[in-house]
Amino acid sequence: MPKRSKLNDEQKAQVADLREAGMSYDAIGRRMDLSRGAISWYCLLDGIDSPKTARRVLPPLKYQSYVRNGSTVLAFSADEDAQLLALAAEGTSHTEIGKIMRRKPNSVSGRLATLARHDARREAAE
């Protein structure tokens, strides 16, 4: 099983280069001996896409809960997204936003990155 660790600056640059060259998360993870999850999380937070997906306009955001790895994942609603964006614009930390919204800080970070990705692709398509 690949090791779980934080990426250093050299690894981050390598991930960006490989992903932007079109390599999959799985292939990058195998090459760098890192988990697929570590690679996809870093790419999400840094807005790194493969050339194929960077051109694709994302569909409207879905607001339904789903099951992942046996646990129910509670989707953010449109109202929660608005609250999240307002709190982030005020400079509230992800930890504090998580406490206010009863979400984990990494859920806040991931959702903000997803919303930013949607906005960037929508603007690029216009």
Side-chain angles (χ1 to χ4, degrees):
M1 173 177 229
K3 63 184 174 192
R4 299 187 79 182
S5 63
K6 294 190 181 209
L7 291 116
N8 61 39
D9 290 341
E10 184 179 313
Q11 289 173 314
K12 288 176 182 180
Q14 187 178 4
V15 167
D17 291 344
L18 294 172
R19 186 68 178 151
E20 290 169 353
M23 192 175 277
S24 71
Y25 297 138
D26 287 324
I28 295 169
R30 284 190 303 271
R31 175 180 269 191
M32 298 180 66
D33 193 29
L34 293 166
S35 71
R36 179 192 193 285
I39 301 300
S40 73
W41 180 250
Y42 172 69
C43 289
L44 171 70
L45 294 184
D46 249 32
I48 300 167
D49 286 317
S50 70
K52 183 178 178 181
T53 58
R55 292 187 303 268
R56 190 171 20 139
V57 177
L58 295 168
L61 294 168
K62 294 181 182 178
Y63 296 105
Q64 62 190 48
S65 298
Y66 55 95
V67 176
R68 180 177 60 213
N69 297 327
S71 297
T72 301
V73 177
L74 301 175
F76 282 82
S77 69
D79 289 340
E80 287 175 313
D81 282 346
Q83 181 184 15
L84 178 65
L85 292 169
L87 289 167
E90 292 171 4
T92 309
S93 73
H94 294 183
T95 301
E96 283 302 311
I97 293 172
K99 288 177 184 175
I100 292 166
M101 298 183 71
R102 296 185 177 170
R103 298 282 187 154
K104 293 182 178 180
N106 65 331
S107 293
V108 170
S109 300
R111 188 59 177 180
L112 286 170
T114 297
L115 293 171
R117 178 177 279 178
H118 277 256
D119 285 345
R121 286 191 187 172
R122 201 173 10 261
E123 288 174 11
E126 294 175 355

